[in-house]
Amino acid sequence: MNDAAGKISNAEWLIMKVLWEESPLTASSVVERLKSVKDWSPKTIQTLMSRLVKKGALGVNKDESLYRFYPLVSQEECIHQETKSFLHKVYGDSFQLLLTHFVREESLSAQEIQELRHLLDEKLQ
């Protein structure tokens, strides 16, 4: 698994989400898609994209007159790494503590409880 998946900041995550939805894209296309979400200058977005390239999370096609960016890590990889980091930081790597907290503290619908029960039953098999 790519180490870049675990090193993406919250701001960089927004850029990755744009490129996971559609890629490759030019920097100006990413700026256009993010302008309704964040009030960032194009320079800020380009800086974040450059960081993502340096981290190995984004690739860039330099064969064309306009550079086109694309993800080198999948959304699933990043979600997995973020989850592992959260579990380690907050729950000391104890999935049982995390699950216990959410079951006791969160309002779960009957459907969500059924889905959890189904997932747990599948794990037993």
Side-chain angles (χ1 to χ4, degrees), residues 1-117:
M1 182 173 303
N2 192 327
D3 285 341
K7 300 177 183 174
I8 296 173
S9 72
N10 291 343
E12 293 165 344
W13 190 268
L14 292 175
I15 290 167
M16 293 300 294
K17 284 175 73 172
V18 168
L19 289 162
W20 284 322
E21 288 176 13
E22 182 182 351
S23 65
L25 292 174
T26 63
S28 60
S29 294
V30 174
V31 168
E32 185 66 27
R33 284 168 173 77
L34 283 174
K35 75 179 182 181
S36 65
V37 178
K38 283 289 189 183
D39 190 23
W40 288 337
S41 72
K43 181 76 173 154
T44 298
I45 293 171
Q46 290 170 351
T47 298
L48 292 168
M49 290 175 71
S50 293
R51 287 183 193 163
L52 286 164
V53 170
K54 287 178 187 172
K55 290 178 179 183
L58 284 185
V60 58
N61 183 347
K62 298 178 180 179
D63 296 335
E64 304 170 23
S65 60
L66 293 174
Y67 290 180
R68 296 189 182 278
F69 296 84
Y70 55 92
L72 293 175
V73 292
S74 71
Q75 188 170 12
E76 292 77 21
E77 284 178 293
C78 290
I79 289 170
H80 180 75
Q81 288 299 322
E82 286 289 326
T83 302
K84 282 177 56 176
S85 174
F86 175 78
L87 185 64
H88 177 74
K89 181 174 29 177
V90 178
Y91 293 97
D93 292 321
S94 173
F95 181 74
Q96 179 186 353
L97 285 176
L98 171 118
L99 188 57
T100 300
H101 170 81
F102 279 101
V103 169
R104 287 189 177 149
E105 302 296 327
E106 301 300 319
S107 297
L108 298 172
S109 70
Q111 181 179 351
E112 290 170 326
I113 292 169
Q114 279 299 110
E115 288 173 13
L116 279 172
R117 183 173 285 135

